[in-house]
Coordinates of all heavy atoms in Angstrom, one line a residue:
M1 N -43.3 43.5 -10.4 CA -44.2 42.8 -11.3 C -45.5 43.6 -11.5 O -46.3 43.9 -10.5 CB -44.6 41.4 -10.7 CG -45.4 40.6 -11.6 SD -45.7 38.9 -10.9 CE -46.6 38.2 -12.3
P2 N -45.7 44.0 -12.7 CA -46.9 44.9 -12.9 C -48.2 44.2 -12.9 O -48.2 43.0 -13.2 CB -46.6 45.4 -14.4 CG -45.8 44.4 -15.0 CD -44.9 43.8 -13.8
S3 N -49.2 44.9 -12.3 CA -50.5 44.3 -12.2 C -51.3 44.2 -13.5 O -52.1 43.5 -13.7 CB -51.4 45.0 -11.1 OG -51.5 46.4 -11.6
R4 N -50.8 45.1 -14.5 CA -51.5 45.1 -15.8 C -50.4 45.0 -16.9 O -49.4 45.6 -16.8 CB -52.2 46.4 -16.0 CG -53.4 46.6 -15.2 CD -54.2 47.8 -15.6 NE -55.4 47.9 -14.9 CZ -56.3 48.9 -15.2 NH1 -56.1 49.8 -16.1 NH2 -57.4 49.0 -14.4
V5 N -50.8 44.2 -17.9 CA -49.9 44.0 -19.0 C -50.8 44.5 -20.2 O -51.7 43.8 -20.7 CB -49.5 42.6 -19.2 CG1 -48.5 42.4 -20.4 CG2 -48.8 42.0 -17.9
P6 N -50.5 45.6 -20.7 CA -51.3 46.3 -21.8 C -51.4 45.4 -23.0 O -52.5 45.4 -23.7 CB -50.5 47.6 -22.1 CG -49.8 47.8 -20.8 CD -49.4 46.5 -20.3
N7 N -50.4 44.7 -23.3 CA -50.4 44.0 -24.6 C -51.2 42.8 -24.5 O -51.6 42.1 -25.5 CB -49.0 43.5 -24.9 CG -48.2 44.8 -25.5 OD1 -48.7 45.8 -25.8 ND2 -46.8 44.7 -25.3
R8 N -51.4 42.3 -23.3 CA -52.2 41.0 -23.1 C -53.3 41.2 -22.1 O -53.2 40.9 -20.9 CB -51.3 39.9 -22.7 CG -50.2 39.7 -23.6 CD -49.6 38.3 -23.4 NE -50.5 37.2 -23.7 CZ -50.2 35.9 -23.5 NH1 -49.1 35.6 -22.9 NH2 -51.2 35.0 -23.8
P9 N -54.4 41.8 -22.5 CA -55.5 42.1 -21.6 C -56.2 40.8 -21.0 O -56.2 39.8 -21.8 CB -56.5 42.8 -22.4 CG -56.2 42.5 -23.9 CD -54.7 42.3 -23.9
V10 N -56.6 40.7 -19.8 CA -57.2 39.6 -19.3 C -58.5 39.3 -20.0 O -59.3 40.2 -20.2 CB -57.4 39.7 -17.8 CG1 -58.1 38.5 -17.2 CG2 -55.9 39.9 -17.1
C11 N -58.8 38.0 -20.2 CA -60.0 37.6 -20.8 C -61.1 38.0 -20.0 O -61.2 37.7 -18.8 CB -59.9 36.1 -21.0 SG -61.4 35.4 -21.7
R12 N -62.2 38.6 -20.6 CA -63.3 39.0 -19.8 C -64.2 37.8 -19.5 O -65.0 37.9 -18.5 CB -64.1 40.0 -20.6 CG -63.4 41.4 -20.8 CD -64.3 42.3 -21.5 NE -63.7 43.6 -21.8 CZ -64.3 44.6 -22.3 NH1 -65.5 44.4 -22.9 NH2 -63.6 45.8 -22.5
S13 N -64.2 36.8 -20.3 CA -65.1 35.7 -20.0 C -64.7 34.9 -18.8 O -65.6 34.5 -18.1 CB -65.1 34.8 -21.3 OG -65.6 35.5 -22.4
C14 N -63.4 34.7 -18.6 CA -63.0 33.9 -17.5 C -62.3 34.7 -16.5 O -61.9 34.2 -15.4 CB -62.1 32.7 -18.0 SG -60.7 33.3 -18.9
D15 N -62.0 36.0 -16.7 CA -61.4 36.9 -15.7 C -60.0 36.4 -15.3 O -59.5 36.5 -14.2 CB -62.2 37.0 -14.5 CG -61.9 38.3 -13.7 OD1 -61.4 39.2 -14.2 OD2 -62.2 38.3 -12.5
G16 N -59.3 35.8 -16.3 CA -57.9 35.4 -16.1 C -57.7 34.0 -15.6 O -56.7 33.5 -15.2
F17 N -58.9 33.2 -15.4 CA -58.8 31.8 -15.0 C -59.4 30.9 -16.0 O -60.5 30.5 -15.9 CB -59.6 31.7 -13.6 CG -59.0 32.5 -12.5 CD1 -59.4 33.7 -12.3 CD2 -57.9 32.0 -11.8 CE1 -58.8 34.5 -11.2 CE2 -57.3 32.7 -10.8 CZ -57.8 33.9 -10.5
P18 N -58.6 30.7 -17.1 CA -59.1 30.0 -18.3 C -59.4 28.5 -18.1 O -60.2 27.9 -18.8 CB -58.1 30.2 -19.3 CG -56.8 30.3 -18.5 CD -57.2 31.0 -17.2
V19 N -58.7 27.9 -17.2 CA -58.9 26.4 -17.0 C -59.5 26.1 -15.7 O -59.0 26.5 -14.7 CB -57.6 25.7 -17.1 CG1 -57.8 24.1 -17.1 CG2 -56.9 26.1 -18.5
V20 N -60.6 25.4 -15.7 CA -61.4 25.2 -14.5 C -61.6 23.6 -14.4 O -61.9 23.0 -15.3 CB -62.8 25.7 -14.6 CG1 -63.5 25.4 -13.2 CG2 -62.7 27.3 -14.7
S21 N -61.2 23.1 -13.2 CA -61.5 21.7 -12.9 C -62.8 21.5 -12.2 O -63.1 22.2 -11.3 CB -60.4 21.2 -12.1 OG -59.1 21.2 -12.7
I22 N -63.6 20.6 -12.8 CA -64.9 20.4 -12.2 C -65.0 19.0 -11.7 O -64.6 18.0 -12.4 CB -66.0 20.5 -13.4 CG1 -66.0 21.9 -14.0 CG2 -67.4 20.2 -12.8 CD1 -66.9 22.0 -15.2
T23 N -65.3 18.9 -10.4 CA -65.4 17.6 -9.7 C -66.6 17.0 -10.1 O -67.8 17.4 -10.0 CB -65.4 17.8 -8.2 OG1 -64.2 18.6 -7.9 CG2 -65.4 16.5 -7.5
T24 N -66.5 15.7 -10.7 CA -67.7 15.0 -11.1 C -68.4 14.3 -10.0 O -69.5 13.8 -10.2 CB -67.3 14.0 -12.2 OG1 -66.3 13.1 -11.7 CG2 -66.6 14.7 -13.3
G25 N -67.7 14.1 -8.9 CA -68.3 13.3 -7.8 C -67.9 11.9 -7.8 O -68.0 11.1 -6.8
D26 N -67.3 11.4 -8.9 CA -66.8 10.1 -9.0 C -65.3 10.0 -8.5 O -64.7 11.1 -8.4 CB -66.8 9.5 -10.4 CG -68.2 9.4 -10.9 OD1 -69.1 9.2 -10.2 OD2 -68.4 9.6 -12.2
R27 N -64.9 8.9 -8.2 CA -63.5 8.7 -7.8 C -62.8 7.6 -8.6 O -63.4 6.7 -9.0 CB -63.4 8.3 -6.3 CG -63.7 9.6 -5.4 CD -63.6 9.1 -4.0 NE -63.9 10.3 -3.1 CZ -63.0 11.1 -2.6 NH1 -61.7 10.9 -2.9 NH2 -63.3 12.0 -1.8
H28 N -61.5 7.8 -8.8 CA -60.8 6.8 -9.5 C -60.5 5.7 -8.5 O -60.7 5.8 -7.3 CB -59.4 7.3 -10.0 CG -59.7 8.5 -11.0 ND1 -60.1 8.2 -12.3 CD2 -59.3 9.7 -11.1 CE1 -60.2 9.3 -13.0 NE2 -59.7 10.2 -12.3
R29 N -60.0 4.6 -9.0 CA -59.7 3.5 -8.2 C -58.7 3.7 -7.1 O -58.5 3.1 -6.1 CB -59.2 2.3 -9.0 CG -60.3 1.7 -9.9 CD -59.8 0.4 -10.6 NE -61.0 -0.2 -11.3 CZ -60.8 -1.4 -12.0 NH1 -59.7 -2.1 -11.9 NH2 -61.9 -1.8 -12.6
D30 N -57.7 4.7 -7.4 CA -56.8 5.0 -6.3 C -57.3 5.9 -5.4 O -56.6 6.4 -4.4 CB -55.5 5.6 -7.1 CG -55.8 6.9 -7.8 OD1 -57.0 7.4 -7.8 OD2 -54.9 7.4 -8.4
G31 N -58.5 6.3 -5.5 CA -59.1 7.1 -4.4 C -59.1 8.7 -4.7 O -59.8 9.5 -4.1
S32 N -58.4 9.1 -5.9 CA -58.4 10.5 -6.3 C -59.8 10.8 -6.9 O -60.4 10.0 -7.5 CB -57.2 10.7 -7.2 OG -57.4 10.0 -8.4
R33 N -60.1 12.1 -6.8 CA -61.3 12.6 -7.4 C -61.1 12.6 -8.9 O -60.1 13.1 -9.5 CB -61.7 14.0 -6.9 CG -61.9 14.0 -5.5 CD -62.3 15.4 -5.0 NE -62.4 15.5 -3.6 CZ -62.5 16.6 -2.9 NH1 -62.3 17.7 -3.6 NH2 -62.6 16.7 -1.7
A34 N -62.2 12.2 -9.6 CA -62.3 12.3 -11.1 C -62.8 13.7 -11.3 O -63.8 14.1 -11.0 CB -63.2 11.3 -11.6
T35 N -61.9 14.5 -12.1 CA -62.3 15.8 -12.5 C -62.3 16.1 -14.0 O -61.6 15.4 -14.7 CB -61.3 16.9 -11.9 OG1 -60.1 16.6 -12.3 CG2 -61.5 16.8 -10.4
L36 N -63.2 17.0 -14.4 CA -63.1 17.3 -15.8 C -62.4 18.7 -16.0 O -62.7 19.6 -15.1 CB -64.6 17.5 -16.3 CG -65.3 16.2 -16.5 CD1 -66.7 16.5 -16.8 CD2 -64.7 15.2 -17.4
T37 N -61.5 18.8 -16.9 CA -60.8 20.1 -17.1 C -61.4 20.8 -18.3 O -61.5 20.3 -19.4 CB -59.3 19.9 -17.3 OG1 -58.8 19.2 -16.2 CG2 -58.6 21.2 -17.4
V38 N -61.9 22.0 -18.1 CA -62.6 22.8 -19.1 C -61.8 24.1 -19.3 O -61.5 24.9 -18.4 CB -64.0 23.1 -18.7 CG1 -64.7 23.9 -19.7 CG2 -64.8 21.9 -18.4
A39 N -61.4 24.3 -20.6 CA -60.8 25.5 -20.9 C -61.7 26.6 -21.5 O -62.7 26.2 -22.2 CB -59.7 25.2 -22.0
C40 N -61.5 27.8 -21.1 CA -62.4 28.9 -21.5 C -62.4 29.0 -23.1 O -61.4 29.0 -23.7 CB -61.9 30.2 -21.0 SG -62.8 31.6 -21.7
P41 N -63.7 28.8 -23.6 CA -63.8 28.9 -25.1 C -63.4 30.3 -25.8 O -63.1 30.3 -27.0 CB -65.2 28.5 -25.4 CG -65.9 28.9 -24.1 CD -64.9 28.7 -23.0
A42 N -63.5 31.3 -25.1 CA -63.3 32.6 -25.5 C -61.8 32.9 -25.8 O -61.5 33.6 -26.8 CB -63.9 33.7 -24.5
C43 N -61.0 32.4 -24.9 CA -59.5 32.7 -25.0 C -58.8 31.4 -25.3 O -57.5 31.4 -25.3 CB -59.1 33.3 -23.7 SG -59.2 32.4 -22.3
K44 N -59.4 30.4 -25.4 CA -58.8 29.1 -25.8 C -57.8 28.6 -24.6 O -56.8 28.0 -24.9 CB -58.0 29.2 -27.1 CG -58.9 29.5 -28.3 CD -59.8 28.4 -28.6 CE -60.6 28.8 -29.9 NZ -61.7 29.5 -29.8
G45 N -58.1 29.0 -23.5 CA -57.4 28.6 -22.3 C -56.1 29.4 -22.0 O -55.3 29.0 -21.2
T46 N -56.0 30.5 -22.7 CA -54.8 31.4 -22.4 C -55.0 32.3 -21.4 O -54.0 32.8 -20.8 CB -54.5 32.2 -23.7 OG1 -55.6 33.0 -24.1 CG2 -54.2 31.2 -24.9
G47 N -56.3 32.7 -21.0 CA -56.5 33.6 -20.0 C -56.4 35.1 -20.4 O -56.7 36.0 -19.7
H48 N -56.2 35.2 -21.7 CA -56.0 36.6 -22.2 C -56.7 36.8 -23.6 O -56.8 35.8 -24.3 CB -54.5 37.0 -22.4 CG -53.7 36.9 -21.3 ND1 -53.6 38.0 -20.4 CD2 -53.0 35.9 -20.7 CE1 -52.8 37.7 -19.4 NE2 -52.4 36.4 -19.5
T49 N -57.3 37.9 -23.7 CA -58.0 38.2 -24.9 C -56.9 38.4 -26.1 O -55.9 39.1 -25.8 CB -58.9 39.3 -24.9 OG1 -58.2 40.5 -24.4 CG2 -60.1 39.0 -24.0
L50 N -57.2 38.0 -27.3 CA -56.3 38.3 -28.4 C -56.4 39.7 -28.9 O -57.5 40.2 -29.0 CB -56.6 37.4 -29.5 CG -56.3 35.9 -29.2 CD1 -56.7 34.9 -30.4 CD2 -54.9 35.6 -28.8
P51 N -55.3 40.4 -29.1 CA -55.4 41.8 -29.6 C -56.0 41.7 -30.9 O -55.8 40.7 -31.7 CB -53.9 42.2 -29.6 CG -53.1 40.9 -29.6 CD -53.9 39.9 -28.8
A52 N -56.6 42.8 -31.4 CA -57.3 42.9 -32.7 C -56.3 42.7 -33.8 O -56.7 42.2 -34.8 CB -58.0 44.3 -32.8
S53 N -55.1 43.1 -33.7 CA -54.1 43.0 -34.7 C -53.8 41.5 -35.0 O -53.5 41.2 -36.2 CB -52.8 43.7 -34.3 OG -52.3 43.2 -33.1
A54 N -53.9 40.7 -34.0 CA -53.7 39.2 -34.2 C -54.8 38.6 -35.1 O -54.5 37.8 -35.9 CB -53.6 38.6 -32.9
F55 N -56.0 39.1 -34.9 CA -57.1 38.6 -35.7 C -56.8 39.1 -37.2 O -57.1 38.4 -38.2 CB -58.4 39.2 -35.3 CG -59.0 38.4 -34.1 CD1 -58.9 39.1 -32.9 CD2 -59.3 37.1 -34.1 CE1 -59.4 38.4 -31.7 CE2 -59.8 36.4 -33.1 CZ -59.8 37.0 -31.9
A56 N -56.4 40.3 -37.4 CA -56.2 40.8 -38.7 C -55.1 40.0 -39.5 O -55.3 39.8 -40.6 CB -55.7 42.3 -38.7
K57 N -54.0 39.7 -38.7 CA -53.0 39.0 -39.4 C -53.3 37.6 -39.8 O -52.8 37.0 -40.7 CB -51.7 38.9 -38.5 CG -51.1 40.4 -38.3 CD -49.9 40.3 -37.3 CE -49.3 41.7 -37.1 NZ -48.3 41.6 -36.1
T58 N -54.1 36.9 -39.0 CA -54.5 35.6 -39.2 C -55.9 35.4 -40.0 O -56.4 34.3 -40.0 CB -54.6 34.8 -37.9 OG1 -55.6 35.4 -37.1 CG2 -53.2 34.8 -37.2
G59 N -56.3 36.5 -40.5 CA -57.6 36.5 -41.1 C -57.6 36.0 -42.6 O -58.7 36.0 -43.2
R60 N -56.6 35.5 -43.0 CA -56.6 35.0 -44.4 C -57.1 33.6 -44.6 O -56.7 32.8 -43.9 CB -55.2 35.0 -45.0 CG -54.5 36.5 -44.9 CD -53.2 36.5 -45.6 NE -52.6 37.8 -45.5 CZ -51.4 38.2 -45.8 NH1 -50.6 37.2 -46.4 NH2 -50.9 39.3 -45.8
Ligands
ZN101 ZN1 -61.1 33.2 -21.1

């Protein structure tokens, strides 16, 4: 398993961890923690930056 995938560079904004759960401090009735899930806005939660060619193709 390669450590680098050239075609899909890791997002610099989130460093490959696009989705983060934030503990709000509240709890649900069943005792579980209430969390907010936030996806990285830069990569839309994919964890990878989009190649420049993708922008060019979808730029219409
Ligand atoms: Zn990201």
Side-chain angles (χ1 to χ4, degrees):
M1 186 174 182
S3 59
R4 287 188 178 184
V5 182
N7 291 335
R8 303 195 66 188
V10 175
C11 175
R12 291 183 181 180
S13 296
C14 60
D15 201 23
F17 296 93
V19 181
V20 179
S21 296
I22 300 173
T23 305
T24 60
D26 294 331
R27 286 179 180 269
H28 295 295
R29 289 188 176 186
D30 63 0
S32 63
R33 293 177 185 171
T35 57
L36 295 174
T37 303
V38 179
C40 173
C43 62
K44 302 292 190 272
T46 61
H48 299 274
T49 53
L50 296 175
S53 60
F55 284 111
K57 291 179 181 177
T58 58
R60 297 182 186 180

